[in-house]
Every structure is written in C-alpha cells, then in structure tokens.
Amino acid sequence: MMKNHTSFKIGGPADLFIYINNESSLKIIIKELNSIDIPFFILGNGSNLLVSDDGYRGVVLSLAKSEKNIILKNNDTIICSAGISLARACVFAMKNSLSGLEFAWGIPGTCGGALFMNAGAYGNDISNIIKNSKYIDKNGNEKTLNKNEMKLSYRKSFYSEFNDNCIISLEFKLKPSYLDKIKEKMYENIHKRKSKQPLDYPNAGSIFKRPEGYFAGTLIENAGLKEYSIGGAMVSPKHAGFIINTGDATAEDVKKLIDYIKKTVFEKFGVLLECEIKTLGNINL
Ligand SMILES: Cc1cc2nc3c(=O)[nH]c(=O)nc-3n(C[C@H](O)[C@H](O)[C@H](O)COP(=O)(O)OP(=O)(O)OC[C@H]3O[C@@H](n4cnc5c(N)ncnc54)[C@H](O)[C@@H]3O)c2cc1C
C-alpha cells in the first residue's frame, strides 16, 4: 500500500513496488518497462505526494534501499546519490564546515526529490547550490545536466517537466564556513519549523505554491478555513498552508478539501491557488 510510503499516510496499492539496488539494475528495469510500455514512477521519500485511494496502475521504483554514497570533492563540493536524505546531506555539509544547505535542514525529502521539486525554504532553494546532476533516461542511458540545463525555477525543474527520468546523483557547490555558525543556522531553522508546522500529524508540507504577492497560508486563514475539515482531512490549526491527515483521511477527502479551499480563496480574494504537491494515480488536483 502506498500509504506506507508517503508522509501523508494516504494511498492504495501499486501494481508492483520495486526497491532498486543499484544503478545497473535501475538502467535495465527502466529500459525494459519503457520498451513494453508499462508506466513507472520514481519515488523519493514520498513527502510531497498524494496517492489516489485506488493506488497506481504501474510500477513504483523506490530508491530507499539503493546503494548510497556521499563524498567531498575539492573541499567545497558534495557529490551524493539521489536517494540520500536531505538530512544526511545537511549533516555531512555541516561536519565538513560547508555552508549552503542549512535551509534544507528539516525538509523531509531525498536529494533527488529536492532537485526534482527545486525544494526551498527561508529565501533559499536548491538552485542556489546545485552544480550538476546525473540521471537515467527512459531508454536506460546515463546523462549529465549542468545547472542551466536543469531549468530550475520556483518548485520546477527540467525533471518535473517529465516523469520518466530518474535522478541518480547530484553535486552541490557549497561555501567553506564555520561549523558553529552552520549549526546555529540549522537549529534556528528547525526551531522555526517545529513552532510553525504541524509535525505531529501526517502531512505533505505546503499544499499550495506561494501565489505572487501573497502567502497561501495567510489567504486560507483569512478566508476562515483554519480547522475546516472534510472526512479525515483538515486545514491545520497550526499552519493553514498545511492539510493534515487526522487519522483516516482518504485521497478523495484531501482532493475535496483542496477544491473547497481553492474555490473559497478565489471567491474571497480573487487569487487562484496552485498545488505544490504531486499526485500519483487517478487523482487530479
Ligand atoms: C513536514 C514537511 C515539511 C516540508 N517542508 C518543505 C519546505 O520547506 N520546502 C519544500 O520545498 N518542500 C517541503 N516539503 C515537501 C517535500 O519534503 C519536498 O518537496 C521534498 O523535496 C520531496 O522529496 P521526496 O524525496 O520526498 O520526493 P517525493 O515526494 O517522493 O517525490 C516528489 C516528486 O519528485 C520525484 N522524484 C523523487 N525522487 C526522484 C528521483 N531520484 N528522480 C526523479 N524524480 C524523483 C517524484 O517522482 C515526484 O514527482 C515538506 C514536506 C513535509 C512533509
């Protein structure tokens, strides 16, 4: 069940779920699936994902148990496998007195998922530190992209334009700094998260992108929707930009709540909210 692989704890079964071991098996599997026209989906940590209640008619490829490496190059560059958690990359950078990844401390995704999404926080995002990345295309070929080729913008990348390229490694260019300073920034960021985000309930982070000139959470709160719920899905009382699963939420509950929020915010403020979260299966936001 995909609910066991997403931070929302929602989602039915995939036809097949494969834990990838290493890059060579990944290449073969992707090439074979593509040649027989079987849809596949690359799963990171499932922290930005809403999976439909009837699951996914295709193959989910998970990097959770794949070989993972993280190394330091030239004293200012980190090369890591895509399946490594941002948390591990942040700690590695901190231990090597390299600054640049502090903003990502507390974002619960993998490095691959973060690049796909151009994840960001506190005025920073992956585009500020990424140097290049490697991926396997749908024909099983390994390719490299430099920063410009990755076309990174707000929560978008070359990778998010398609869903059939699997990022396998990334290079972050960081700045030498002081361990204590980096640590302090990381503590500061995690403290902000813990005080503002509903981390005690399953969720998928901010549901909506930030509309230009506004904050989605503030619009939703000002529309009177804090704590509004449909089934088991509720607008978080702590942060209106988050939807929480209060226990038994279905993807359908979340979809209905999102539709209701969009409609209400548009009627009250004329702002059309756009979803940040990705979907899998038979669900359209
Ligand atoms: C409590 C909480 C707080 C959050 N805070 C933030 C925040 O501050 N900023 C922010 O930007 N996001 C935030 N998020 C959302 C989420 O953590 C990020 O978007 C994260 O980068 C997603 O990574 P993931 O590995 O979980 O990706 P997944 O959710 O598994 O996948 C997301 C997309 O990336 C694709 N993908 C994943 N890995 C690969 C790969 N190796 N190759 C190709 N495609 C891949 C998937 O196919 C999918 O389309 C938060 C989420 C939660 C639950």
Side-chain angles (χ1 to χ4, degrees), residues 229-242:
S229 64
I230 294 184
M234 180 194 269
V235 176
S236 162
K238 201 165 174 183
H239 188 319
F242 283 58

Side-chain angles (χ1 to χ4, degrees), residues 7 41-49 63 82 86 106-110 112-114 116-121 155 159 163 165-168 193 197 199 203-206 242 276 278:
S7 59
F41 179 84
I42 317 288
L43 181 70
N45 197 37
S47 66
N48 201 43
L49 202 57
L63 300 179
L86 275 175
I107 301 181
T110 59
F116 182 100
M117 293 302 302
N118 188 21
R155 303 295 175 266
Y159 297 110
N163 270 324
N165 296 307
C166 183
I167 305 163
I168 50 170
R193 280 181 187 276
Q197 299 183 355
L199 303 180
N203 69 79
S206 300
F242 283 58
E276 175 171 323
K278 300 291 173 193

Side-chain angles (χ1 to χ4, degrees), residues 89-159:
C90 289
V91 170
F92 186 85
M94 183 257 284
K95 285 187 174 164
N96 286 286
S97 300
L98 290 174
S99 171
L101 259 170
E102 296 91 323
F103 77 88
W105 183 235
I107 301 181
T110 59
C111 289
L115 175 58
F116 182 100
M117 293 302 302
N118 188 21
Y122 313 122
N124 237 315
D125 61 31
I126 292 290
S127 74
N128 293 326
I129 49 170
I130 192 80
K131 198 172 163 198
N132 60 50
S133 62
K134 284 195 177 134
Y135 69 99
I136 309 287
D137 75 7
K138 62 181 179 188
N139 299 312
N141 299 315
E142 187 174 318
K143 296 190 170 158
T144 303
L145 294 181
N146 66 30
K147 185 173 172 161
N148 288 339
E149 290 167 329
M150 282 183 268
K151 297 199 259 175
L152 296 160
S153 62
Y154 180 63
R155 303 295 175 266
K156 276 191 186 154
S157 65
F158 159 85
Y159 297 110

Side-chain angles (χ1 to χ4, degrees), residues 6-9 197-205 232-238 242-248:
T6 66
S7 59
F8 235 152
K9 301 285 168 240
Q197 299 183 355
L199 303 180
D200 36 359
Y201 285 94
N203 69 79
M234 180 194 269
V235 176
S236 162
K238 201 165 174 183
F242 283 58
I243 289 178
I244 54 172
N245 176 356
T246 58
D248 56 359

Side-chain angles (χ1 to χ4, degrees), residues 170-231:
L170 308 80
E171 234 177 273
F172 293 124
K173 178 105 160 68
L174 303 171
K175 284 200 179 85
S177 179
Y178 299 97
L179 191 137
D180 284 350
K181 224 172 134 188
I182 298 167
K183 232 182 196 173
E184 200 184 307
K185 193 78 205 156
M186 286 164 71
Y187 278 127
E188 201 182 288
N189 289 346
I190 204 79
H191 179 71
K192 274 192 236 165
R193 280 181 187 276
K194 283 186 178 159
S195 62
K196 292 198 178 129
Q197 299 183 355
L199 303 180
D200 36 359
Y201 285 94
N203 69 79
S206 300
I207 293 291
F208 302 102
K209 291 183 179 173
R210 198 180 52 240
E212 215 167 313
Y214 301 92
F215 289 104
T218 312
L219 289 172
I220 298 166
E221 185 171 352
N222 291 344
L225 293 177
K226 242 186 183 181
E227 290 187 59
Y228 188 86
S229 64
I230 294 184

